[in-house]
């Protein structure tokens, strides 16, 4: 499968909101409600931030929200904080128990 | 607390083999599907393989099919990845991650990763 498409980088100032898009196809994002988002700080393991498109795990700030429209999923971070600076990856179920990740987006908090 | 700890990474020559292990604790390992995910240096994440809770259902990414074998030992709360015919492009940090209880869904948590370097 081809990787999902994410912007290489996004930036925002503290307190602002940003949105990261994740575009797939009708074979992955568009067909299943199984998009998840992961945050990865340098040298660390990824951390689950959103699952099933819009659900937040316990302990994840409600500043993080997810949505989906057609073949595109989105992660929105509101009230940006310095600690949000990290790489973000989307992931979708792609059928036959396979998964496909996005290429990753580097978030810079200005 | 839920914890996954990988081991077994290292330097191996092209064409060589390596076996990775992932020790699970803090949850009922036999209830969960498990996956391996890798990340080449400076690159993004790539799903590698998936095994059902009983071990009866297994899937691989096309990039490793025929060369890698995933397995598990529920009595030892352990997940494994046997990697054969290794190539330079297999160089990556390999993470194990807990998957769903009734099928593939999301990865949570992840282990700290183990680095595999394929080089002559």
């Amino acid at each position: 499968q081809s990787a999902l498409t994410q912007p290489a980088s996004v930036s925002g100032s503290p307190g602002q909101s940003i949105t990261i898009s994740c575009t797939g196809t009708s074979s992955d994002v568009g067909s299943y409600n199984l998009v998840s988002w992961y945050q990865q700080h340098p040298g660390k393991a990824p951390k689950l931030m959103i699952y099933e498109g819009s659900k937040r795990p316990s302990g994840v700030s409600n500043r993080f929200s997810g949505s989906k429209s057609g073949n595109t999923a989105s992660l929105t971070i509101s009230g940006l904080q310095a600690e949000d600076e990290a790489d973000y990856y989307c992931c979708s179920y792609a059928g036959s128990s396979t998964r496909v990740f996005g290429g990753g987006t580097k978030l810079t908090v200005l | 607390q839920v914890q996954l700890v990988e081991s077994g990474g290292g330097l191996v020559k092209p064409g060589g083999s390596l076996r990775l292990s992932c020790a699970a604790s803090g949850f009922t390992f036999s209830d969960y599907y498990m996956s391996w995910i890798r990340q080449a240096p400076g690159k993004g994440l790539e799903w590698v393989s998936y095994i059902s809770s009983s071990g009866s259902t297994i899937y691989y990414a096309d990039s490793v099919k025929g060369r890698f074998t995933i397995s598990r030992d529920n009595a030892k709360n352990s997940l494994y990845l046997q990697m054969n015919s290794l190539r330079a492009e297999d160089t990556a940090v390999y993470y194990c991650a807990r998957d769903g209880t009734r099928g593939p869904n999301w990865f949570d948590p992840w282990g700290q990763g183990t680095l595999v370097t394929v080089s002559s």
Side-chain angles (χ1 to χ4, degrees):
Chain A
Q1 304 86 359
S2 299
L4 306 176
T5 300
Q6 298 181 232
S9 64
V10 298
S11 62
S13 299
Q16 289 185 332
S17 294
I18 62 96
T19 295
I20 300 172
S21 61
C22 169
T23 301
T25 69
S26 57
S27 296
D28 38 62
V29 175
S31 286
Y32 306 98
N33 192 31
L34 285 174
V35 173
S36 50
W37 289 89
Y38 302 88
Q39 176 192 64
Q40 186 180 35
H41 287 109
K44 300 296 187 182
K47 175 188 174 184
L48 176 69
M49 304 303 285
I50 295 287
Y51 66 98
E52 290 184 340
S54 60
K55 297 179 181 178
R56 269 189 319 275
S58 173
V60 171
S61 171
N62 59 10
R63 297 185 298 105
F64 291 83
S65 61
S67 62
K68 191 186 88 165
S69 178
N71 295 337
T72 298
S74 298
L75 173 71
T76 298
I77 309 173
S78 59
L80 268 180
Q81 299 180 0
E83 68 213 47
D84 299 332
E85 186 163 294
D87 293 327
Y88 290 86
Y89 293 90
C90 61
C91 178
S92 175
Y93 181 71
S96 299
S97 295
T98 62
R99 257 61 65 84
V100 60
F101 281 94
T105 299
K106 181 177 180 59
L107 169 62
T108 301
V109 180
L110 302 170
Chain B
Q1 74 281 21
V2 177
Q3 191 171 15
L4 299 169
V5 179
E6 302 95 335
S7 60
L11 175 63
V12 60
K13 290 181 168 54
S17 298
L18 211 55
R19 188 196 196 206
L20 306 183
S21 298
C22 170
S25 60
F27 65 102
T28 305
F29 180 71
S30 58
D31 283 349
Y32 286 85
Y33 292 54
M34 298 291 294
S35 280
W36 286 98
I37 299 144
R38 68 184 180 183
Q39 186 171 35
K43 302 296 184 181
L45 300 169
E46 179 188 16
W47 171 81
V48 172
S49 183
Y50 154 96
I51 186 169
S52 63
S53 53
S54 66
S56 60
T57 301
I58 286 172
Y59 288 92
Y60 299 99
D62 289 344
S63 57
V64 306
K65 202 172 295 183
R67 300 187 298 121
F68 289 13
T69 302
I70 191 173
S71 63
R72 65 190 295 160
D73 185 336
N74 286 340
K76 295 183 177 180
N77 291 339
S78 293
L79 176 72
Y80 306 102
L81 187 67
Q82 177 67 43
M83 305 185 295
N84 298 332
S85 303
L86 282 162
R87 307 166 180 166
E89 54 265 36
D90 295 319
T91 294
V93 173
Y94 285 73
Y95 296 99
C96 67
R98 190 176 69 173
D99 212 312
T101 55
R102 287 173 289 183
N105 48 25
W106 52 89
F107 306 117
D108 180 49
W110 299 53
Q112 88 287 350
T114 188
L115 176 63
V116 172
T117 303
V118 184
S119 174
S120 54

